[in-house]
């Protein structure tokens, strides 16, 4: 388990991202603490995936800064950001379908954590055990279920030993049993690795069940933030996200 970090593990300060005249993110400021699971919810087009892409340098922000611990990471390359301690999964599972489950995770150990040989193989196996796929390590990924491919992504994200892991809809397309298993894996990752998690998810019931804190985006701005019980009773959130009129 990693040592305690003073202050937030991750924070954004007044981050803005435009696409032409469209503001996808406007003055976003947020922070995530060590060992905290923070949910990021909002309607389609609210800016959730853009926030992840700005964080991992797929997009360059048009304003504001991003910090990992106290170090500014704005503008650094995606691979450098990974080495510093940010990993992620994607809405569409990005596993290499021609490789085995083990080799998919091994790539994360070698290129994400910069370890080699026996150490890389050991860490890849530990990550597969964390998500419960050790018995399927030799199966070619194209022969695996969507649920297992999403678990491989989580294992590959975890093997880079991140300070914070960005989960982009890891439950999309999963059935109730698979969702329960993913919840178990997320809880286990936090408990065993003390990793902070910023989690985008449309399955709101899962977010409310597991998260310590929730941030609601709407039209690229923070509509509300707080503990799950506070967000559940927020009339603006109910109206904008859940589609019910406020009272």
């Amino acid at each position: 388990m990693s040592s305690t970090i003073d202050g937030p593990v991750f924070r954004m300060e007044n981050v803005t991202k435009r696409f032409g005249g469209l503001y996808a993110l406007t003055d976003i400021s947020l922070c995530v603490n060590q060992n905290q699971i923070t949910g990021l919810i909002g309607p389609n087009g609210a800016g959730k995936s853009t926030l992840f892409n700005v964080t991992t340098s797929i997009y360059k922000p048009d304003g504001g800064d991003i910090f990992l611990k106290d170090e500014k990471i704005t503008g650094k390359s995606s691979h450098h950001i990974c080495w510093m301690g940010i990993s992620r999964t994607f809405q569409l599972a990005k596993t290499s379908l021609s490789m085995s489950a083990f080799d998919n995770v091994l790539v994360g150990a070698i290129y994400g954590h910069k370890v080699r040989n026996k150490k890389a193989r050991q860490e890849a196996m530990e990550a597969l055990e964390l998500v419960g796929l050790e018995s399927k390590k030799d199966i070619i990924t194209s022969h695996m279920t969507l649920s297992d491919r999403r678990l491989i992504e989580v294992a590959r994200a975890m093997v880079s030993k991140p300070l914070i892991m960005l989960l982009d809809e890891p439950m999309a397309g999963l059935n109730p049993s698979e969702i329960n298993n993913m919840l178990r894996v997320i809880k286990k990752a936090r408990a065993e690795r003390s990793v902070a998690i910023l989690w985008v998810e449309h399955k709101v019931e899962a977010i409310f069940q597991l998260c310590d804190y929730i941030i609601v985006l709407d039209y690229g701005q923070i509509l509300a933030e707080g503990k799950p019980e506070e967000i559940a009773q927020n009339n603006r959130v109910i109206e904008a996200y859940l589609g019910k009129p406020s009272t």
Side-chain angles (χ1 to χ4, degrees), residues 115-182:
V115 291
R116 298 289 187 272
N117 303 322
K118 184 178 179 180
K119 181 66 171 175
R121 299 182 70 84
Q122 175 187 336
E123 292 188 0
M125 198 64 216
E126 288 173 356
L128 281 172
E129 289 169 356
L130 185 146
V131 302
L133 290 181
E134 64 273 22
S135 65
K136 299 181 180 181
K137 67 182 181 67
D138 296 322
I139 298 177
I140 300 300
T141 311
S142 61
H143 299 159
M144 302 180 81
T145 65
L146 173 62
S147 176
D148 284 347
R149 293 201 301 273
R150 291 201 178 281
L151 289 170
I152 289 171
E153 273 211 313
V154 173
R156 191 172 57 195
M158 287 300 300
V159 81
S160 67
K161 303 295 179 70
L163 296 170
I164 182 168
M165 178 168 58
L166 313 182
L167 297 179
D168 198 347
E169 296 191 44
M171 298 179 180
L174 305 190
N175 64 37
S177 174
E178 292 166 340
I179 287 171
N180 286 335
N181 185 51
M182 183 64 77

Side-chain angles (χ1 to χ4, degrees), residues 234-240 243-247:
N234 186 303
N235 284 333
R236 295 179 68 203
V237 175
I238 293 169
E239 184 176 13
K244 297 177 181 178
S246 59
T247 56

Side-chain angles (χ1 to χ4, degrees), residues 20-151:
L22 174 66
Y23 280 76
L25 298 172
T26 304
D27 289 329
I28 298 294
S29 294
L30 59 84
C31 65
V32 182
N33 296 320
Q34 182 180 12
N35 209 34
Q36 182 182 61
I37 301 180
T38 298
L40 187 64
I41 67 173
N44 288 328
K48 303 182 298 296
S49 290
T50 299
L51 189 149
F52 275 17
N53 288 336
V54 167
T55 298
T56 54
S57 243
I58 293 174
Y59 300 147
K60 181 180 178 181
D62 295 298
D65 282 307
I66 305 168
F67 298 85
L68 185 65
K69 296 188 288 185
D70 287 325
E71 185 169 354
K72 187 166 75 172
I73 64 170
T74 318
K76 293 186 182 293
S77 65
S78 295
H79 65 271
H80 204 116
I81 287 168
C82 179
W83 293 339
M84 292 176 70
I86 298 179
S87 66
R88 70 171 294 181
T89 68
F90 294 85
Q91 281 184 6
L92 300 176
K94 293 184 180 294
T95 53
S96 178
L97 297 178
S98 62
M99 295 168 61
S100 68
F102 179 80
D103 285 344
N104 265 276
V105 181
L106 183 63
V107 166
I110 293 171
Y111 293 102
H113 190 43
K114 296 195 291 187
V115 291
R116 298 289 187 272
N117 303 322
K118 184 178 179 180
K119 181 66 171 175
R121 299 182 70 84
Q122 175 187 336
E123 292 188 0
M125 198 64 216
E126 288 173 356
L128 281 172
E129 289 169 356
L130 185 146
V131 302
L133 290 181
E134 64 273 22
S135 65
K136 299 181 180 181
K137 67 182 181 67
D138 296 322
I139 298 177
I140 300 300
T141 311
S142 61
H143 299 159
M144 302 180 81
T145 65
L146 173 62
S147 176
D148 284 347
R149 293 201 301 273
R150 291 201 178 281
L151 289 170

